[in-house]
Amino acid sequence: MTAANNGASTPEDDDPFGYLYEDGQAAGATPPGQGRGYGYPGPAPQPGVPRTSYNQVRTVGERRQYAQPPQPFPQQQGYGQQPTAAYAAPETYPGGAQTRQGPVVPAQGRGRGPNTRGLLIGAIAVVAVVVIGIGAALMTSGDDKNEAGGSGASSGPTAADSVKPSEEPTEKPEEPVELPKQDAATLKLGGPASAANTVPGAKGTNGGYVMFNGEGGSASWSVEVPEAGPYTMYITYSVPGKDAKTTLTINSGQPREINMANFAHAEEGNWEKGWTNTYSYVNLEKGKNDLKISCEPGNQCEAYLDQVWLEAGQKQG
């Protein structure tokens, strides 16, 4: 069996796609030519005659016109002619909607783009948490090392530790003990010495003073001091316009002379103008000390004794 003679058959058996052409016939298509088939252009089939081809031979350049339904757009022009624009804007048609294009404005608002500020704040917060965690880890590691006896700073109060102040009172330096003045008239008198108050100007109680009255006359007293060491002994007295000398004895020590000069520059014989004072450095023992001023052989004892007192240390008069 050849392609030219395939035997008698029905169009459905000859062309499996023949049913597709029925839609063309239903639409009213009329192919040009000699007959009408199943919507396919060409001669009508004859009983017992096989179809030689599904195509119709035509001259080159020939175009067949088929009936087409009316279309809203203009048809294409023939071969060889310049095509015309097939597109028309909607507003060119009758009743078409008028459109107006404006500048495109970028959308703004929530949900229209990445929140860069929020991302930046989140990143900073993460970094801060990491730094705090590292610092806490280092501090904890240092504390563990010190507790385990590892190398590190020695234990003890630091600037950050609170130190409880001591409740014990701070010892204050001892103030020097003020030794009392002794009125000569109240001292223990020895020998020819005697008390009097006839010459004005004495500082003792009721203006009293002591007269030595020659060799062997004396005035003695006792005093207690808190510490052993140097002291200064002050004496107030009067001389009748001329110098005098007496003797000082401390405990059982070696006696020494005391100079009772006419520092007031009084005229000779003027006892009232002759009141003055002098001082002498002495060394005392801790506790009780016995002192005595006396008129010994070789002394010039023409003097009146007014007051005596001590001060700690060596001081000027």
Side-chain angles (χ1 to χ4, degrees), residues 162-255:
S162 60
V163 180
K164 183 179 180 180
S166 175
E167 296 180 357
E168 298 180 358
T170 305
E171 295 183 359
K172 297 182 179 179
E174 295 183 359
E175 297 180 357
V177 177
E178 184 178 356
L179 301 176
K181 289 183 180 182
Q182 301 285 334
D183 291 340
T186 64
L187 301 181
K188 181 180 179 181
L189 303 179
S194 63
N197 59 0
T198 59
V199 177
K203 296 180 179 179
T205 303
N206 298 322
Y209 53 89
V210 172
M211 299 182 298
F212 290 101
N213 294 325
E215 187 176 326
S218 66
S220 302
W221 74 99
S222 298
V223 63
E224 289 190 4
V225 295
E227 298 292 340
Y231 288 82
T232 302
M233 184 182 68
Y234 293 94
I235 303 172
T236 59
Y237 63 95
S238 177
V239 292
K242 57 183 179 180
D243 296 337
K245 287 183 180 180
T246 58
T247 298
L248 173 64
T249 304
I250 300 174
N251 297 324
S252 59
Q254 185 68 28

Side-chain angles (χ1 to χ4, degrees), residues 24-107:
Q25 291 179 350
T30 303
Q34 296 178 357
R36 298 179 178 178
Y38 291 93
Y40 192 89
Q46 299 294 328
V49 180
R51 301 180 65 175
T52 59
S53 175
Y54 294 106
N55 297 323
Q56 296 296 322
V57 180
R58 60 180 179 270
T59 307
V60 176
E62 180 183 358
R63 294 179 60 88
R64 293 187 179 183
Q65 300 294 330
Y66 298 93
Q68 297 181 357
Q71 299 180 0
F73 299 99
Q75 296 182 356
Q76 295 182 354
Q77 298 182 2
Y79 179 79
Q81 296 180 0
Q82 295 295 331
T84 59
Y87 171 79
E91 58 269 17
T92 59
Y93 294 98
Q98 298 293 328
T99 60
R100 180 179 182 183
Q101 296 182 355
V104 179
V105 179

Side-chain angles (χ1 to χ4, degrees), residues 231-236 263 276-281 309 311 313-317:
Y231 288 82
T232 302
M233 184 182 68
Y234 293 94
I235 303 172
T236 59
F263 296 120
T276 185
N277 61 76
T278 188
Y279 64 92
S280 178
Y281 297 139
W309 70 93
E311 290 186 6
Q314 295 182 349
K315 299 181 180 180
Q316 299 292 329

